[in-house]
Each structure stands twice: as structure tokens, then as C-alpha cells.
């Protein structure tokens, strides 16, 4: 899945969580934590595998459920001490949503062998066609097939929802921007 697909899946999952649990829309720092969580597995694995050859492939350390559970649990403990539990939840939704997004197409295709990254290092690393290709080369070779169109559609839906919610998180990144009252009920 591409970065915009991961961001879309994360935002949509977190929106559903906030709506069902609190009947509120996403807001503030939690949305920034969510965004970081949706991208972090690739930011860990791709450079360490493709640029520095420190990992076996671009889906290993950062894409492991073992690592994800440890990281999210550690973050939860720290976040609770500084009263940032909601940001830890948002990060966790984004991070685990990323893993779900990368597993999605393999599950649909019945290619369960390729889900081995979820169990790394307990499961041996899987060889991928993109190994060593790099992000830019992969992006330039992107074809607008059904997968890409699906992800772009998800991204458009998530962006429209994010805009409707008042662009939450933007006030954290742009001081002076107001996203409205975080306690507002969803529309």
C-alpha cells in the first residue's frame, strides 16, 4: 500500500473508533500521532533495508506484529504518565492499520506466504519483487490499476472527511490555525 493509502486507512479507522467510542470526531495532537503511526513502519523498514541493507527487506522490523505490540505497549505506558493516552491510541490505530493495509491485498489474493512479515523475526523474511528498488523508482513505475485506484479513492474519501472534521491536527502543525472545539459532536 502507498503512503496515501495507509494515511487514509488510518484516518478512517480512527474516525470510526472515535465515533463509536466517544461519539466525537478526531482532533488535535492525536491526529498528528495517527499520521505518524500510519507511516512509521515504512519509515523504519524501507531506508534500513533499501538504503543501508541492515534489514532483510522493506517489510520486516517495522512491519512485525511482535515489534508493533511492544512499541505500542511501551508508548501506552509512557503516554499514560503524561496524560496523552488518546494520542497513544491514535498512534496504535495508525501503526496497526498500516500492517493491516499491507496484508490486505495478500489476503484477498490468498497469498498467505507473504504475510510472514507480520511474524518477523519469528518467521523468516520474505523476498519481495520491490526489494532494492527504492521508493522513487517504485513511485515512478506506479500503474493506475485497480489497487492504485482503490487507494486513491480511499485517500479522497479520507481527505473529504478530514476537511469536514475541520482539518484536525493542522492546528498542531500550523500555530494560529483553529480547528474548532475538539469536544464538538460529529456532524
Amino acid at each position: 500500500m502507498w503512503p496515501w493509502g495507509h494515511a487514509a486507512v488510518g484516518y478512517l479507522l480512527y474516525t470510526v473508533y472515535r465515533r463509536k467510542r466517544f461519539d466525537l470526531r478526531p482532533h488535535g495532537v492525536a491526529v498528528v500521532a495517527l499520521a505518524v503511526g500510519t507511516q512509521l513502519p515504512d519509515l523504519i523498514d524501507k531506508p534500513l533495508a533499501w538504503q543501508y541493507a541492515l534489514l532483510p527487506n522493506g517489510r520486516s522490523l517495522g512491519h512485525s506484529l511482535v515489534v508493533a505490540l511492544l512499541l505500542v505497549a511501551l508508548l501506552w505506558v509512557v503516554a499514560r504518565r503524561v496524560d496523552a493516552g488518546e494520542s497513544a491510541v491514535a498512534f496504535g490505530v495508525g501503526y496497526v492499520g498500516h500492517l493491516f493495509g499491507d496484508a490486505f491485498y495478500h489476503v484477498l489474493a490468498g497469498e498467505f506466504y507473504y504475510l510472514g512479515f507480520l511474524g518477523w523475526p519469528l518467521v523468516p523474511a520474505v523476498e519481495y519483487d520491490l526489494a532494492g528498488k527504492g521508493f522513487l523508482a517504485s513511485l515512478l513505475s506506479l500503474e493506475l490499476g485497480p489497487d492504485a485506484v482503490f487507494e486513491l479513492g480511499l485517500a479522497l474519501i479520507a481527505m473529504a472527511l478530514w476537511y469536514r472534521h475541520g482539518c484536525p491536527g493542522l492546528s498542531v502543525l500550523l500555530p494560529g490555525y483553529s480547528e474548532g472545539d475538539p469536544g464538538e459532536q460529529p456532524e
Side-chain angles (χ1 to χ4, degrees), residues 20-140:
K20 295 291 183 190
R21 177 101 194 261
F22 305 110
D23 200 27
L24 296 171
R25 62 179 173 79
H27 71 279
V29 174
V31 175
V32 176
L34 172 73
V36 171
T38 66
Q39 304 305 310
L40 191 58
D42 284 340
L43 293 174
I44 293 169
D45 286 349
K46 302 306 191 232
L48 292 177
W50 293 352
Q51 303 305 122
Y52 302 108
L54 295 173
L55 293 175
N57 62 46
R59 286 188 185 159
S60 49
L61 178 68
H63 287 74
S64 169
L65 275 175
V66 175
V67 172
L69 293 176
L70 291 172
L71 178 63
V72 171
L74 177 65
L75 184 62
W76 176 253
V77 169
V78 171
R80 293 285 300 216
R81 289 183 180 207
V82 296
D83 197 30
E86 188 59 29
S87 292
V89 168
F91 176 87
V93 168
Y95 200 100
V96 173
H98 181 111
L99 304 183
F100 165 77
D102 280 346
F104 179 72
Y105 296 122
H106 295 302
V107 169
L108 283 181
E111 302 170 339
F112 300 108
Y113 165 78
Y114 289 105
L115 298 179
F117 67 86
L118 294 171
W120 193 88
L122 305 174
V123 175
V126 176
E127 288 297 321
Y128 293 99
D129 292 337
L130 294 178
K133 191 173 181 182
F135 178 76
L136 188 56
S138 297
L139 181 63
L140 293 174

